Amino acid sequence: MQIGNESMDLRLTLIESAQCFQWQETPQGFIAVVQGKPVRLWKQGDAVFAQSDLRREQLRHYLDLERDYGRVAEQYAHIAPAKRAIEMYPALRVLNQDSWETLITFILSANNNVSRIRKLTDAISRGLGARFEMCGEEIWGLPTPEQLANCPESHLREMGVGYRAPYLIRTARMVADGFPLWELKNMSYDQAYEQLMRLPGVGDKVANCVLLFGCGHSSAFPVDVWVERLLKSWFDVTSRSRKAMMLAARDALGENAGLLQQFLFHAARTGDIEL
DNA sequence: GCCCAGGAGATGT
DNA sequence: ACATCTCATGGG
């Protein structure tokens, strides 16, 4: 089915921009398990097509196709590096992912590089998750909270996750025991942030990634090593800690701070904006 | 071999 | 509240 006519870049959005780690590119398109269901996305000209049990509106929301990014660019047009970063990637979108899938992949992301985050995401999915087939290829979904909570720590360590193993298991147990993960999108930013910070393996940076990519909180502003470098290079940063930078950036940039952050992050990481 | 990676938690001040 | 250490593991 056709889900959109927008000129969006699937490779940039799903793989290169490091906001999710489960997509793989095949000759037939991009495939992954999203919200527990297999999905294939591909383009024909400007049109985006999908093969999935997910409804058209769900996929449009996942890809953030309803948002006017031209308006976001205008919102930050008075900040030179911001305007430049957004205009540099007119086909990049900030995904609306599943809260649980975002939470688990970003616990894996702590002090880790992108290619290894992908391998660990794949490893725990193959080891614990549900298997599907999509155009002749096997793909696995991430483990559910119950599957992860019941996995022995030693088994998880054999998959290579290292010291993050107990974080995954304890967080999974809290979610399985009623942590309000799926209510975070309806809370205020401050309430949702406070809740997420209770979870083992979730600090300021991971919390903001979950809020931004997995809970629809577009003001969430994750500060990783690259965003820190860019902020120090291009702005008069007096904050020392990354959390202080996050607070200052959110305060200065307002409602769509996090969307801008994703463009800045990618520009810094690829070197498209000199630091 | 070295340094780095979309950091978090524990400890000490 | 802030600074410093340690924590697995593989990529470059």
Side-chain angles (χ1 to χ4, degrees):
Chain A
M1 61 177 160
Q2 180 173 346
I3 65 170
N5 215 356
E6 293 80 358
S7 63
M8 74 160 294
D9 188 330
L10 290 174
R11 184 179 299 110
L12 174 61
T13 299
L14 300 175
I15 296 181
E16 293 172 350
S17 67
Q19 47 182 317
C20 61
F21 306 96
Q22 49 269 76
W23 287 91
Q24 54 181 112
E25 187 172 8
T26 76
Q28 292 84 18
F30 298 84
I31 59 176
V33 179
V34 171
Q35 295 163 29
K37 292 176 179 164
V39 181
R40 174 166 68 105
L41 296 172
W42 70 100
K43 293 199 72 171
Q44 292 181 12
D46 273 349
V48 182
F49 283 81
Q51 173 189 359
S52 175
D53 288 340
L54 291 173
R55 289 180 287 107
R56 184 170 182 278
E57 310 83 69
Q58 292 179 293
L59 290 166
R60 286 186 61 78
H61 183 246
Y62 178 81
L63 296 174
D64 207 29
L65 293 181
E66 308 295 353
R67 191 187 304 276
D68 181 356
Y69 278 72
R71 231 163 49 92
V72 179
E74 287 173 23
Q75 181 181 355
Y76 298 114
H78 61 293
I79 305 170
K83 183 166 189 278
R84 196 147 68 87
I86 296 178
E87 289 178 346
M88 205 173 283
Y89 313 113
L92 173 62
R93 294 294 176 264
V94 180
L95 298 171
N96 295 111
Q97 302 179 56
D98 177 81
S99 300
W100 166 251
E101 293 170 1
T102 312
L103 175 60
I104 293 310
T105 52
F106 276 94
I107 287 176
L108 289 176
S109 80
N111 197 26
N112 221 337
N113 59 59
V114 172
S115 73
R116 214 167 83 84
I117 300 167
R118 260 192 207 100
K119 285 178 178 165
L120 294 179
T121 300
D122 185 61
I124 67 171
S125 298
R126 283 175 187 264
L128 302 172
R131 189 179 72 87
F132 300 92
E133 278 187 38
M134 180 56 85
C135 49
E137 299 232 22
E138 293 182 296
I139 50 175
W140 286 263
L142 281 161
T144 64
E146 291 75 15
Q147 287 172 326
L148 201 45
N150 293 324
C151 179
E153 182 180 327
S154 59
H155 187 194
L156 218 40
R157 282 183 181 271
E158 287 168 12
M159 300 177 191
V161 305
Y163 62 86
R164 304 170 190 86
Y167 299 158
L168 292 172
I169 293 170
R170 291 170 56 206
T171 285
R173 190 157 293 141
M174 286 180 66
V175 172
D177 287 347
F179 178 90
L181 184 59
W182 287 273
E183 277 82 73
L184 298 179
K185 61 170 66 65
N186 302 319
M187 298 181 192
S188 69
Y189 170 88
D190 290 318
Q191 283 184 320
Y193 176 87
E194 190 182 352
Q195 287 294 322
L196 278 169
M197 291 288 282
R198 296 170 44 214
L199 297 171
V202 178
D204 176 72
K205 193 276 181 175
V206 171
N208 277 289
C209 285
V210 176
L211 291 168
L212 177 61
F213 302 128
C215 299
H217 282 282
S218 61
S219 73
F221 195 93
V223 179
D224 74 318
V225 290
W226 293 105
V227 172
E228 176 179 0
R229 286 171 192 157
L230 186 142
L231 292 177
K232 284 180 172 170
S233 164
W234 286 90
F235 301 95
D236 187 24
V237 174
T238 52
S239 324
R240 299 146 316 294
S241 73
R242 289 186 189 170
K243 177 171 180 179
M245 291 179 207
M246 178 279 282
L247 290 171
R250 262 190 97 244
D251 195 48
L253 299 170
E255 185 46 41
N256 293 316
L259 303 180
L260 171 58
Q261 177 276 160
Q262 185 57 16
F263 288 82
L264 295 175
F265 165 76
H266 191 252
R269 196 170 81 95
T270 57
D272 287 343
I273 283 187
E274 204 74 28
L275 298 183

